[in-house]
Amino acid sequence: MFIFIRNFIHKKWCIFRNEVIKMLISIMTEVFLNFLLLIFGIIIFFLVSLSLCFFLSFYFGSYVIGFGILTILYFLIFIIIFCFGRDITRFIIKNLFNKSFIKIFDHKK
């Protein structure tokens, strides 16, 4: 009888351990893939910005003007996000996401 209980507990422990290992591996995979996507996004953003700066520099004939235009543009975007970011985020969540979630979870229609 004791051997039966011991084997039962051991099997349950192995099943639990395997499930925990699977869950940890899936979490670590998600974190790793999100980190890689973030790194690739940063690299792409940097290269696109650099290309746009060189294009504007070629278009206006001066590196200072080309890089300055993009610097001023990024500075204005930063100021707008800093001042109105909370309001814009609330507007997006309140109007766009709320309506789409209501459509998804509204089974009466």
Side-chain angles (χ1 to χ4, degrees):
M1 185 69 165
F2 180 72
I3 294 172
F4 175 73
I5 295 171
R6 188 182 68 169
N7 286 340
F8 179 75
I9 292 173
H10 179 69
K11 286 180 184 178
K12 291 294 182 182
W13 169 252
C14 288
I15 292 171
F16 175 74
R17 186 183 65 200
N18 288 339
E19 290 297 320
V20 168
I21 289 172
K22 286 179 186 177
M23 185 175 56
L24 286 175
I25 287 174
S26 67
I27 290 171
M28 290 176 63
T29 303
E30 287 292 325
V31 168
F32 181 71
L33 287 176
N34 287 335
F35 178 72
L36 280 179
L37 286 174
L38 177 70
I39 294 298
F40 287 140
I42 290 171
I43 290 171
I44 289 171
F45 179 75
F46 175 72
L47 291 176
V48 167
S49 296
L50 197 61
S51 299
L52 183 60
C53 285
F54 280 119
F55 171 74
L56 290 174
S57 298
F58 176 75
Y59 184 75
F60 288 110
S62 172
Y63 286 120
V64 175
I65 294 174
F67 281 84
I69 289 173
L70 201 64
T71 303
I72 291 171
L73 179 69
Y74 283 155
F75 185 70
L76 289 175
I77 290 171
F78 173 75
I79 295 296
I80 290 170
I81 289 173
F82 184 75
C83 293
F84 303 111
R86 184 175 292 151
D87 297 331
I88 293 170
T89 306
R90 287 181 183 163
F91 175 78
I92 290 172
I93 290 172
K94 184 186 256 186
N95 293 331
L96 300 178
F97 290 131
N98 197 10
K99 290 178 184 175
S100 64
F101 285 133
I102 288 173
K103 289 179 184 176
I104 291 171
F105 294 114
D106 190 17
H107 298 291
K108 294 179 183 177
K109 291 183 179 180

